[in-house]
Coordinates of all heavy atoms in Angstrom, one line a residue:
M25 N 2.6 -9.8 10.1 CA 2.0 -9.9 8.9 C 2.7 -9.6 7.7 O 2.4 -9.8 6.6 CB 0.6 -9.1 8.8 CG -0.5 -9.7 9.7 SD -1.1 -11.2 9.1 CE -2.7 -10.7 8.6
N26 N 3.8 -8.8 8.0 CA 4.8 -8.5 6.9 C 5.3 -9.7 6.0 O 5.5 -9.6 4.9 CB 5.9 -7.6 7.3 CG 5.5 -6.1 7.6 OD1 4.4 -5.8 7.2 ND2 6.3 -5.5 8.3
N27 N 5.5 -10.8 6.8 CA 6.0 -12.0 6.1 C 5.0 -12.6 5.3 O 5.3 -13.6 4.6 CB 6.6 -12.9 7.1 CG 5.6 -13.4 8.1 OD1 4.5 -12.9 8.2 ND2 6.0 -14.4 9.0
N28 N 3.7 -12.1 5.2 CA 2.7 -12.7 4.3 C 2.6 -11.9 3.0 O 1.9 -12.3 2.1 CB 1.3 -12.5 5.0 CG 1.3 -13.4 6.3 OD1 2.1 -13.3 7.1 ND2 0.2 -14.2 6.3
Y29 N 3.5 -10.9 2.8 CA 3.6 -10.2 1.6 C 4.7 -10.6 0.7 O 5.8 -11.0 1.2 CB 3.7 -8.7 1.8 CG 2.4 -8.0 2.2 CD1 2.0 -7.8 3.5 CD2 1.6 -7.5 1.2 CE1 0.9 -7.1 3.8 CE2 0.5 -6.8 1.5 CZ 0.1 -6.7 2.9 OH -1.1 -6.1 3.2
Y30 N 4.6 -10.6 -0.6 CA 5.6 -10.9 -1.6 C 5.5 -9.8 -2.6 O 4.5 -9.7 -3.2 CB 5.5 -12.3 -2.1 CG 6.4 -12.5 -3.3 CD1 7.8 -12.6 -3.1 CD2 6.0 -12.6 -4.6 CE1 8.7 -12.8 -4.1 CE2 6.8 -12.8 -5.6 CZ 8.2 -12.9 -5.4 OH 9.0 -13.1 -6.5
V31 N 6.6 -9.1 -2.8 CA 6.6 -8.0 -3.9 C 7.1 -8.7 -5.1 O 8.2 -9.2 -5.1 CB 7.4 -6.8 -3.5 CG1 7.6 -5.9 -4.7 CG2 6.9 -6.1 -2.3
S32 N 6.2 -8.8 -6.1 CA 6.6 -9.5 -7.3 C 7.3 -8.6 -8.4 O 8.0 -9.1 -9.2 CB 5.4 -10.3 -7.9 OG 4.3 -9.3 -8.2
K33 N 6.9 -7.4 -8.4 CA 7.4 -6.5 -9.5 C 7.2 -5.0 -9.1 O 6.1 -4.7 -8.4 CB 6.7 -6.8 -10.8 CG 7.1 -5.9 -11.9 CD 6.5 -6.4 -13.3 CE 5.2 -5.8 -13.6 NZ 4.7 -6.1 -15.0
T34 N 8.0 -4.2 -9.5 CA 7.8 -2.7 -9.4 C 8.2 -2.1 -10.8 O 9.0 -2.6 -11.4 CB 8.7 -2.1 -8.3 OG1 10.0 -2.2 -8.6 CG2 8.4 -2.6 -7.0
E35 N 7.5 -1.1 -11.2 CA 7.7 -0.4 -12.4 C 7.2 1.1 -12.3 O 6.2 1.3 -11.6 CB 7.0 -1.1 -13.6 CG 5.5 -1.1 -13.5 CD 4.9 -1.8 -14.7 OE1 5.6 -2.5 -15.5 OE2 3.7 -1.7 -14.8
P36 N 7.9 1.9 -13.0 CA 7.4 3.4 -13.0 C 6.0 3.5 -13.6 O 5.6 2.7 -14.6 CB 8.4 4.1 -14.0 CG 9.5 3.2 -14.0 CD 9.1 1.8 -13.8
A37 N 5.1 4.3 -13.0 CA 3.8 4.6 -13.6 C 4.0 5.2 -15.0 O 5.0 5.9 -15.2 CB 3.1 5.5 -12.7
R38 N 3.1 4.9 -15.9 CA 3.2 5.3 -17.3 C 3.4 6.8 -17.5 O 4.1 7.3 -18.3 CB 2.1 4.7 -18.1 CG 2.2 3.3 -18.3 CD 1.1 2.8 -19.2 NE 1.2 1.3 -19.1 CZ 0.5 0.5 -20.0 NH1 -0.4 1.0 -20.7 NH2 0.6 -0.8 -19.9
N39 N 2.7 7.6 -16.6 CA 2.7 8.9 -16.8 C 3.8 9.6 -15.9 O 4.0 10.8 -15.8 CB 1.4 9.6 -16.4 CG 0.9 9.3 -14.9 OD1 1.6 8.7 -14.2 ND2 -0.3 9.8 -14.7
G40 N 4.6 8.7 -15.2 CA 5.8 9.2 -14.5 C 5.5 9.8 -13.2 O 6.4 10.4 -12.5
D41 N 4.3 9.7 -12.6 CA 4.0 10.4 -11.4 C 4.0 9.4 -10.2 O 3.4 9.7 -9.1 CB 2.6 11.1 -11.4 CG 1.5 10.1 -11.5 OD1 1.7 8.9 -11.9 OD2 0.3 10.5 -11.3
G42 N 4.7 8.2 -10.3 CA 4.7 7.3 -9.2 C 5.3 6.0 -9.6 O 5.9 5.8 -10.7
T43 N 5.1 5.0 -8.7 CA 5.6 3.6 -9.0 C 4.5 2.7 -8.7 O 3.9 2.7 -7.7 CB 6.8 3.3 -8.1 OG1 7.8 4.3 -8.4 CG2 7.3 1.9 -8.3
N44 N 4.3 1.7 -9.6 CA 3.4 0.6 -9.4 C 4.1 -0.5 -8.7 O 5.1 -1.0 -9.2 CB 2.7 0.2 -10.8 CG 1.8 1.2 -11.5 OD1 1.1 1.9 -10.8 ND2 2.0 1.4 -12.7
V45 N 3.5 -1.0 -7.7 CA 4.1 -2.1 -6.8 C 3.1 -3.3 -6.9 O 1.9 -3.2 -6.5 CB 4.3 -1.6 -5.4 CG1 4.9 -2.8 -4.6 CG2 5.2 -0.4 -5.4
Y46 N 3.5 -4.4 -7.5 CA 2.7 -5.6 -7.6 C 3.0 -6.5 -6.5 O 4.3 -6.7 -6.2 CB 3.0 -6.2 -9.0 CG 2.5 -5.4 -10.1 CD1 3.4 -4.4 -10.7 CD2 1.3 -5.4 -10.7 CE1 3.0 -3.5 -11.6 CE2 0.9 -4.6 -11.8 CZ 1.7 -3.7 -12.2 OH 1.4 -2.8 -13.2
F47 N 2.0 -7.1 -5.8 CA 2.3 -7.9 -4.7 C 1.4 -9.0 -4.6 O 0.4 -9.1 -5.3 CB 2.2 -7.0 -3.3 CG 0.6 -6.6 -3.2 CD1 -0.2 -7.3 -2.5 CD2 0.3 -5.4 -3.7 CE1 -1.5 -7.0 -2.3 CE2 -1.0 -4.9 -3.6 CZ -1.9 -5.7 -2.8
T48 N 1.7 -10.1 -3.8 CA 0.9 -11.2 -3.4 C 0.8 -11.2 -1.9 O 1.8 -11.0 -1.2 CB 1.5 -12.5 -3.9 OG1 1.6 -12.5 -5.3 CG2 0.6 -13.7 -3.5
F49 N -0.4 -11.3 -1.3 CA -0.7 -11.5 0.1 C -1.2 -12.8 0.3 O -2.2 -13.2 -0.3 CB -1.6 -10.4 0.6 CG -1.9 -10.6 2.1 CD1 -0.9 -10.1 3.0 CD2 -3.1 -11.2 2.5 CE1 -1.3 -10.3 4.4 CE2 -3.3 -11.4 3.9 CZ -2.4 -11.0 4.8
S50 N -0.6 -13.6 1.1 CA -1.0 -14.9 1.5 C -1.7 -14.9 2.9 O -1.1 -14.5 3.9 CB 0.1 -15.9 1.5 OG 0.8 -16.0 0.3
Y51 N -3.0 -15.3 2.9 CA -3.7 -15.4 4.2 C -3.2 -16.5 5.0 O -3.0 -17.6 4.6 CB -5.2 -15.6 4.0 CG -5.8 -14.4 3.2 CD1 -6.0 -14.2 1.9 CD2 -6.3 -13.3 4.1 CE1 -6.5 -13.1 1.3 CE2 -6.9 -12.2 3.5 CZ -7.0 -12.1 2.2 OH -7.5 -11.0 1.6
P52 N -2.8 -16.2 6.3 CA -2.1 -17.2 7.0 C -2.9 -18.4 7.4 O -2.3 -19.5 7.4 CB -1.8 -16.5 8.4 CG -2.6 -15.2 8.4 CD -3.0 -14.9 7.0
N53 N -4.2 -18.3 7.6 CA -4.9 -19.6 8.1 C -5.4 -20.4 7.0 O -5.5 -21.6 7.0 CB -6.1 -19.2 9.1 CG -5.5 -18.6 10.3 OD1 -4.4 -18.9 10.8 ND2 -6.2 -17.6 10.9
S54 N -6.0 -19.7 5.9 CA -6.6 -20.4 4.8 C -5.7 -20.9 3.7 O -6.0 -21.7 3.0 CB -7.7 -19.6 4.2 OG -7.2 -18.5 3.6
G55 N -4.5 -20.2 3.6 CA -3.7 -20.5 2.5 C -4.1 -19.8 1.2 O -3.4 -19.9 0.2
S56 N -5.2 -19.1 1.2 CA -5.6 -18.3 0.0 C -4.7 -17.2 -0.1 O -4.0 -16.7 0.7 CB -7.0 -17.8 0.2 OG -7.9 -18.8 0.4
R57 N -4.7 -16.7 -1.4 CA -3.8 -15.5 -1.7 C -4.5 -14.5 -2.5 O -5.5 -14.7 -3.2 CB -2.6 -16.0 -2.4 CG -2.8 -16.5 -3.7 CD -1.5 -17.0 -4.4 NE -1.4 -16.4 -5.7 CZ -0.4 -16.7 -6.5 NH1 0.6 -17.6 -6.1 NH2 -0.4 -16.2 -7.6
L58 N -4.0 -13.3 -2.4 CA -4.6 -12.1 -3.1 C -3.5 -11.5 -3.9 O -2.4 -11.2 -3.4 CB -5.2 -11.1 -2.1 CG -5.5 -9.7 -2.6 CD1 -6.7 -9.9 -3.5 CD2 -5.7 -8.8 -1.4
D59 N -3.7 -11.3 -5.1 CA -2.6 -10.7 -6.0 C -3.2 -9.3 -6.3 O -4.4 -9.1 -6.6 CB -2.5 -11.4 -7.3 CG -1.8 -12.8 -7.1 OD1 -0.9 -12.9 -6.3 OD2 -2.2 -13.7 -7.8
G60 N -2.3 -8.3 -6.3 CA -2.9 -6.9 -6.5 C -1.6 -6.0 -6.8 O -0.5 -6.4 -6.8
N61 N -2.0 -4.7 -7.0 CA -1.0 -3.7 -7.1 C -1.5 -2.4 -6.6 O -2.7 -2.2 -6.4 CB -0.6 -3.6 -8.5 CG -1.6 -2.9 -9.4 OD1 -2.7 -3.4 -9.5 ND2 -1.3 -1.8 -10.0
V62 N -0.6 -1.6 -6.1 CA -0.9 -0.2 -5.6 C 0.1 0.7 -6.4 O 1.1 0.3 -6.7 CB -0.8 -0.1 -4.1 CG1 -1.8 -0.9 -3.4 CG2 0.6 -0.4 -3.7
K63 N -0.4 2.0 -6.5 CA 0.5 3.0 -7.0 C 0.9 3.9 -5.9 O 0.1 4.5 -5.2 CB -0.3 3.8 -8.1 CG 0.6 4.9 -8.7 CD -0.3 5.5 -9.8 CE 0.3 6.9 -10.1 NZ -0.6 7.6 -11.1
L64 N 2.2 3.9 -5.7 CA 2.8 4.8 -4.7 C 3.3 6.0 -5.4 O 3.9 5.9 -6.5 CB 3.9 4.1 -4.0 CG 3.5 2.8 -3.2 CD1 4.8 2.2 -2.5 CD2 2.5 3.1 -2.1
T65 N 3.2 7.2 -4.7 CA 3.9 8.4 -5.3 C 5.5 8.1 -5.2 O 5.9 7.2 -4.5 CB 3.6 9.7 -4.5 OG1 4.1 9.5 -3.2 CG2 2.0 9.9 -4.4
N66 N 6.2 8.9 -6.0 CA 7.6 8.8 -5.9 C 8.2 9.0 -4.5 O 9.0 8.2 -4.0 CB 8.3 9.8 -6.9 CG 8.0 9.5 -8.3 OD1 7.8 8.3 -8.7 ND2 7.8 10.5 -9.2
K67 N 7.6 9.9 -3.7 CA 8.1 10.1 -2.4 C 7.7 8.9 -1.5 O 8.5 8.5 -0.7 CB 7.4 11.4 -1.8 CG 7.8 11.7 -0.4 CD 7.4 13.1 0.1 CE 7.9 13.4 1.4 NZ 8.8 12.6 2.2
E68 N 6.5 8.4 -1.6 CA 6.1 7.2 -0.8 C 7.0 6.1 -1.0 O 7.4 5.4 -0.2 CB 4.6 6.9 -1.1 CG 3.6 7.8 -0.6 CD 2.1 7.5 -1.2 OE1 2.1 7.0 -2.2 OE2 1.2 7.8 -0.4
Y69 N 7.2 5.8 -2.4 CA 8.2 4.7 -2.7 C 9.6 4.9 -2.2 O 10.1 3.9 -1.6 CB 8.2 4.5 -4.3 CG 8.9 3.4 -4.8 CD1 8.5 2.2 -4.6 CD2 10.1 3.6 -5.5 CE1 9.3 1.0 -5.0 CE2 10.9 2.5 -5.9 CZ 10.4 1.2 -5.6 OH 11.1 0.1 -6.1
I70 N 10.2 6.0 -2.3 CA 11.5 6.3 -1.9 C 11.5 6.2 -0.3 O 12.5 5.5 0.2 CB 12.1 7.6 -2.3 CG1 12.3 7.6 -3.9 CG2 13.3 8.1 -1.6 CD1 12.5 8.9 -4.5
D71 N 10.6 6.8 0.4 CA 10.5 6.7 1.8 C 10.3 5.2 2.2 O 10.9 4.8 3.2 CB 9.3 7.5 2.4 CG 9.6 9.0 2.3 OD1 10.7 9.4 2.0 OD2 8.6 9.7 2.5
A72 N 9.5 4.4 1.6 CA 9.3 3.0 1.9 C 10.6 2.2 1.8 O 11.0 1.4 2.7 CB 8.3 2.4 1.0
L73 N 11.3 2.5 0.7 CA 12.6 1.8 0.5 C 13.6 2.2 1.6 O 14.4 1.4 2.2 CB 13.3 2.0 -0.8 CG 12.5 1.4 -2.0 CD1 13.2 1.8 -3.3 CD2 12.4 -0.1 -1.9
E74 N 13.6 3.4 2.0 CA 14.6 4.0 3.0 C 14.1 3.4 4.4 O 15.0 3.2 5.3 CB 14.5 5.5 3.1 CG 15.2 6.1 1.9 CD 15.1 7.6 2.0 OE1 14.3 8.2 2.8 OE2 15.8 8.3 1.2
N75 N 12.9 3.0 4.6 CA 12.4 2.4 5.9 C 12.6 0.9 6.0 O 12.1 0.3 7.0 CB 11.0 2.8 6.1 CG 10.8 4.2 6.5 OD1 11.7 4.9 7.1 ND2 9.8 4.8 6.0
G76 N 13.4 0.3 5.0 CA 13.6 -1.1 5.1 C 14.7 -1.4 6.3 O 15.2 -0.5 6.7
T77 N 14.9 -2.6 6.7 CA 15.8 -3.0 7.7 C 16.9 -3.9 7.1 O 16.8 -4.4 6.0 CB 15.1 -3.7 8.9 OG1 14.6 -4.9 8.3 CG2 13.9 -2.8 9.4
D78 N 17.9 -4.1 7.9 CA 19.0 -5.0 7.4 C 18.5 -6.4 7.3 O 18.8 -7.2 6.4 CB 20.1 -5.0 8.5 CG 20.9 -3.7 8.5 OD1 20.8 -2.9 7.5 OD2 21.6 -3.5 9.5
D79 N 17.5 -6.9 8.2 CA 16.9 -8.2 8.1 C 15.9 -8.3 6.9 O 15.8 -9.5 6.3 CB 16.1 -8.5 9.4 CG 17.0 -8.6 10.6 OD1 18.3 -8.7 10.4 OD2 16.5 -8.4 11.8
D80 N 15.2 -7.2 6.6 CA 14.3 -7.3 5.5 C 14.2 -6.0 4.8 O 13.5 -5.0 5.3 CB 12.9 -7.7 6.0 CG 11.8 -7.9 4.9 OD1 12.1 -7.7 3.7 OD2 10.7 -8.4 5.3
M81 N 14.9 -5.9 3.7 CA 15.0 -4.5 3.0 C 13.5 -4.1 2.5 O 13.4 -3.0 2.2 CB 16.0 -4.6 1.9 CG 15.7 -5.6 0.8 SD 17.1 -5.6 -0.3 CE 16.3 -5.5 -1.8
Y82 N 12.6 -5.0 2.4 CA 11.3 -4.6 1.8 C 10.3 -4.3 2.9 O 9.1 -4.1 2.6 CB 10.8 -5.8 0.9 CG 11.5 -5.9 -0.4 CD1 12.1 -7.1 -0.7 CD2 11.6 -4.8 -1.3 CE1 12.8 -7.2 -1.9 CE2 12.3 -5.0 -2.5 CZ 12.9 -6.2 -2.8 OH 13.5 -6.3 -3.9
S83 N 10.7 -4.4 4.2 CA 9.7 -4.2 5.3 C 9.0 -2.8 5.2 O 7.8 -2.7 5.4 CB 10.3 -4.4 6.6 OG 11.4 -3.4 6.8
G84 N 9.7 -1.8 4.9 CA 9.1 -0.5 4.6 C 8.2 -0.5 3.5 O 7.1 0.2 3.5
L85 N 8.5 -1.2 2.4 CA 7.6 -1.3 1.3 C 6.2 -2.1 1.6 O 5.2 -1.7 1.2 CB 8.3 -2.0 0.1 CG 7.7 -1.9 -1.3 CD1 7.5 -0.4 -1.6 CD2 8.6 -2.5 -2.2
Y86 N 6.4 -3.1 2.5 CA 5.2 -3.8 2.9 C 4.3 -2.9 3.7 O 3.1 -3.0 3.5 CB 5.5 -5.0 3.8 CG 6.5 -6.0 3.1 CD1 7.5 -6.7 3.8 CD2 6.3 -6.4 1.7 CE1 8.3 -7.6 3.2 CE2 7.1 -7.3 1.2 CZ 8.2 -7.9 1.9 OH 9.0 -8.8 1.3
K87 N 4.8 -2.1 4.6 CA 4.0 -1.1 5.3 C 3.4 -0.1 4.5 O 2.3 0.2 4.6 CB 4.9 -0.4 6.4 CG 5.3 -1.4 7.5 CD 6.3 -0.8 8.5 CE 6.9 -1.8 9.4 NZ 8.0 -1.2 10.2
A88 N 4.1 0.3 3.4 CA 3.5 1.3 2.5 C 2.4 0.7 1.7 O 1.3 1.4 1.5 CB 4.6 1.9 1.5
I89 N 2.5 -0.6 1.3 CA 1.4 -1.3 0.6 C 0.2 -1.3 1.5 O -0.9 -1.0 1.1 CB 1.9 -2.7 0.2 CG1 2.9 -2.6 -0.9 CG2 0.7 -3.5 -0.4 CD1 3.6 -4.0 -1.2
K90 N 0.4 -1.8 2.7 CA -0.8 -1.9 3.6 C -1.4 -0.5 3.9 O -2.7 -0.4 3.9 CB -0.3 -2.5 5.0 CG 0.0 -3.9 5.0 CD 0.2 -4.6 6.3 CE 1.4 -4.1 7.0 NZ 1.8 -4.8 8.3
A91 N -0.6 0.5 4.1 CA -1.2 1.8 4.3 C -2.0 2.3 3.0 O -3.1 2.9 3.2 CB -0.1 2.8 4.6
K92 N -1.4 2.0 1.8 CA -2.2 2.4 0.6 C -3.5 1.7 0.5 O -4.5 2.2 0.1 CB -1.2 2.3 -0.6 CG -1.8 2.8 -1.9 CD -2.2 4.3 -1.9 CE -0.9 5.1 -2.0 NZ -1.2 6.6 -2.2
I93 N -3.5 0.4 0.8 CA -4.7 -0.4 0.7 C -5.8 0.1 1.7 O -6.9 0.3 1.3 CB -4.4 -1.9 1.0 CG1 -3.6 -2.5 -0.2 CG2 -5.7 -2.7 1.2 CD1 -3.0 -4.0 0.1
I94 N -5.3 0.4 2.9 CA -6.3 1.0 3.9 C -6.8 2.4 3.4 O -8.0 2.7 3.5 CB -5.5 1.1 5.2 CG1 -5.4 -0.3 5.8 CG2 -6.3 2.0 6.2 CD1 -4.4 -0.2 7.0
E95 N -5.9 3.2 2.8 CA -6.3 4.5 2.3 C -7.3 4.4 1.2 O -8.3 5.1 1.2 CB -5.1 5.2 1.8 CG -5.3 6.6 1.2 CD -4.1 7.2 0.5 OE1 -3.0 7.1 1.1 OE2 -4.2 7.7 -0.6
I96 N -7.1 3.4 0.3 CA -7.9 3.3 -0.9 C -9.4 2.7 -0.4 O -10.4 3.0 -1.0 CB -7.4 2.2 -1.9 CG1 -6.2 2.8 -2.6 CG2 -8.4 1.8 -2.9 CD1 -5.3 1.9 -3.3
N97 N -9.4 1.9 0.6 CA -10.6 1.3 1.0 C -11.3 2.0 2.2 O -12.3 1.4 2.8 CB -10.4 -0.2 1.5 CG -10.1 -1.0 0.2 OD1 -10.8 -1.1 -0.6 ND2 -8.9 -1.5 0.2
T98 N -10.8 3.1 2.6 CA -11.4 3.9 3.7 C -12.4 5.0 3.1 O -12.0 5.7 2.3 CB -10.4 4.6 4.6 OG1 -9.5 3.5 5.1 CG2 -11.0 5.3 5.8
V99 N -13.6 4.9 3.6 CA -14.6 5.9 3.1 C -14.4 7.2 4.0 O -14.5 7.1 5.2 CB -16.0 5.3 3.3 CG1 -17.0 6.4 2.8 CG2 -16.1 4.0 2.4
V100 N -14.3 8.3 3.4 CA -14.2 9.5 4.1 C -15.6 10.0 4.3 O -16.5 10.1 3.4 CB -13.5 10.6 3.2 CG1 -13.4 11.9 3.9 CG2 -12.1 10.1 2.9
T101 N -15.9 10.3 5.6 CA -17.2 10.8 5.9 C -17.1 12.3 6.5 O -16.1 12.6 7.1 CB -17.9 10.0 7.0 OG1 -17.1 9.9 8.1 CG2 -18.2 8.5 6.5
T102 N -18.1 13.1 6.2 CA -18.1 14.4 6.8 C -19.4 14.6 7.5 O -20.5 14.0 7.2 CB -18.0 15.4 5.6 OG1 -19.1 15.3 4.7 CG2 -16.6 15.4 5.0
T103 N -19.4 15.4 8.6 CA -20.6 15.7 9.3 C -20.8 17.2 9.2 O -19.9 18.0 9.4 CB -20.3 15.3 10.8 OG1 -20.0 13.9 10.9 CG2 -21.6 15.6 11.6
T104 N -22.0 17.6 8.8 CA -22.4 19.0 8.7 C -23.5 19.3 9.8 O -24.4 18.5 9.9 CB -23.0 19.3 7.4 OG1 -22.0 18.8 6.4 CG2 -23.3 20.7 7.2
T105 N -23.2 20.3 10.5 CA -24.2 20.8 11.6 C -24.8 22.0 11.1 O -24.2 23.0 10.7 CB -23.5 20.9 13.0 OG1 -22.7 19.9 13.2 CG2 -24.4 21.4 14.0
I106 N -26.1 22.0 11.1 CA -26.9 23.2 10.7 C -27.6 23.6 11.9 O -28.4 22.9 12.5 CB -27.9 22.8 9.5 CG1 -27.2 22.2 8.4 CG2 -28.8 24.0 9.2 CD1 -28.1 21.7 7.3
T107 N -27.6 25.0 12.2 CA -28.3 25.5 13.3 C -29.3 26.6 12.7 O -28.8 27.3 11.8 CB -27.3 26.2 14.2 OG1 -26.5 27.2 13.6 CG2 -26.4 25.2 14.9
K108 N -30.4 26.6 13.3 CA -31.4 27.5 12.9 C -31.5 28.7 13.9 O -31.5 28.4 15.1 CB -32.8 26.9 12.7 CG -32.8 25.9 11.7 CD -34.3 25.4 11.5 CE -34.4 24.5 10.3 NZ -35.8 23.9 10.2
E109 N -31.6 29.9 13.4 CA -31.7 31.0 14.3 C -33.1 31.3 14.5 O -33.9 31.2 13.6 CB -31.0 32.3 13.7 CG -29.5 32.1 13.6 CD -28.7 33.3 13.1 OE1 -29.3 34.4 13.2 OE2 -27.7 33.2 12.5
A110 N -33.5 31.7 15.7 CA -34.9 31.9 16.0 C -35.4 33.3 15.5 O -34.8 34.2 15.3 CB -35.1 31.8 17.5

């Protein structure tokens, strides 16, 4: 699925606490596309670039984009157990 991503632009976040990564994702079967952006911390961005390969220098960035999308769209749930004493 990494080959379905295209990074169109990166720029520093305005407040300096990360990097905005703009991307396009093309759905393989329908041909539809999704344009979006995620904000990676400076560490996430540098780590992503370091995780690229000789064949595809952006592969680490694609993985970071996917991870950030999942993080943003995952609902955190908590369970609380209450016990009553007799």
Side-chain angles (χ1 to χ4, degrees):
M25 288 291 247
N26 284 347
N27 58 352
N28 295 51
Y29 281 94
Y30 169 73
V31 174
S32 55
K33 179 171 89 169
T34 61
E35 66 182 7
R38 290 183 185 186
N39 60 3
D41 68 344
T43 300
N44 293 316
V45 181
Y46 297 85
F47 65 90
T48 298
F49 177 79
S50 298
Y51 291 92
N53 296 328
S54 68
S56 296
R57 65 183 232 182
L58 170 71
D59 294 318
N61 71 301
V62 294
K63 180 178 160 187
L64 301 176
T65 65
N66 291 328
K67 180 169 179 14
E68 288 171 329
Y69 182 67
I70 290 167
D71 289 347
L73 291 177
E74 289 176 349
N75 289 324
T77 64
D78 291 341
D79 294 341
D80 187 355
M81 63 186 226
Y82 291 119
S83 62
L85 199 51
Y86 302 142
K87 291 175 187 172
I89 290 169
K90 288 191 290 188
K92 187 58 79 169
I93 291 170
I94 291 168
E95 177 186 318
I96 290 168
N97 291 298
T98 301
V99 176
V100 177
T101 59
T102 56
T103 304
T104 305
T105 304
I106 300 173
T107 57
K108 292 185 178 181
E109 293 184 25

